[in-house]
Each structure stands twice: as C-alpha cells, then as structure tokens.
Amino acid sequence: MKKIMIVEDDKDICRELKEMLDHAGYEGVVLSDFHNGCRQILKAKPDLVLLDINIPFQNGEMLLKELRESSDVPVIMVTAKSSEIDKVKGLDNGADDYITKPFNILEVKARIKAIL
C-alpha cells in the first residue's frame, strides 16, 4: 500500500484528503507537528507528499527546498496560491505538480495516480 503524507494545517482539508486517500487504497498519513517537518517526512518515508504552502513555522516552499536537498519523493503542492508566478515558483522549487484550492477531490486522486 502506497503511503501519502498530508502536510496541511487546515483540519477539515486534512480530514477530506485522508478520507479520500484511505478509500482509494492508499495509506493517508497527516503531519501533525510542523516543527522539523522535513525530518518527519523523511522519517515517515512516504511514497508521495501533498504539501500546502501556508503552513506554520516554515512555509511549504521552504520545506520543499529543504526536502529536495535530501529526497526526490514526489510532491504535489495543494494550495490557495493560484497565480501563475506561484505555480511556476512551486514547480521550479521541485514540486512535481501543483493543485489550487478549492480543489476537486477526483482531480487530486487522478493526479496522485498519474505521479505514482
């Protein structure tokens, strides 16, 4: 079973994503403590990361840069930042895909499947 880590501070979105992942046959794991996020992601060894930009302590862009220094785990940015420059910046920083909120859960599932 593929493990997908959800890095999101909105509890409703976390619950929705985890529920979708669990029903789709993935193991959804929620990052619960945003301190040392990169270390926690590496320790969990997920097959894919769903990463929000606006998270506490270290924004998602900084976390992605840090993660890319030691891992090539696929990352899909899932964020409210929807400008073209934000999308390009996310992809340039190493994201494999970029989804804007509000998202369609079927699209998220399809993009996960395409990357995995």
Side-chain angles (χ1 to χ4, degrees):
M1 179 181 298
K2 299 282 186 182
K3 183 190 297 184
I4 299 176
M5 179 162 274
I6 303 162
V7 182
E8 166 69 61
D9 63 333
D10 183 305
K11 294 191 184 314
D12 291 332
I13 293 174
C14 280
R15 186 172 46 255
E16 181 181 10
L17 288 170
K18 181 165 176 24
E19 212 171 86
M20 178 274 297
L21 292 169
D22 292 345
H23 284 106
Y26 301 108
E27 178 186 356
V29 178
V30 177
L31 181 72
S32 57
D33 180 7
F34 296 97
H35 290 97
N36 302 309
C38 185
R39 184 172 35 176
Q40 291 182 52
I41 292 169
L42 294 172
K43 184 178 177 185
K45 297 181 181 174
D47 295 291
L48 185 138
V49 176
L50 298 175
L51 176 61
D52 186 17
I53 291 176
N54 296 315
I55 55 174
F57 305 108
Q58 178 183 32
N59 74 40
E61 292 169 337
M62 293 169 46
L63 179 56
L64 177 60
K65 286 180 185 177
E66 184 180 351
L67 187 60
R68 284 294 173 245
E69 291 175 6
S70 54
S71 175
D72 61 354
V73 62
V75 174
I76 299 176
M77 303 299 290
V78 182
T79 182
K81 292 190 166 225
S82 60
S83 74
E84 284 187 40
I85 193 71
D86 289 320
K87 293 176 186 178
V88 169
K89 196 169 160 184
L91 295 168
D92 281 348
N93 285 335
D96 296 277
D97 203 347
Y98 196 103
I99 300 171
T100 56
K101 297 175 190 172
F103 53 79
N104 178 302
I105 204 74
L106 295 175
E107 179 183 0
V108 175
K109 191 162 61 169
R111 289 176 184 250
I112 290 170
K113 185 177 177 184
I115 288 177
L116 292 178

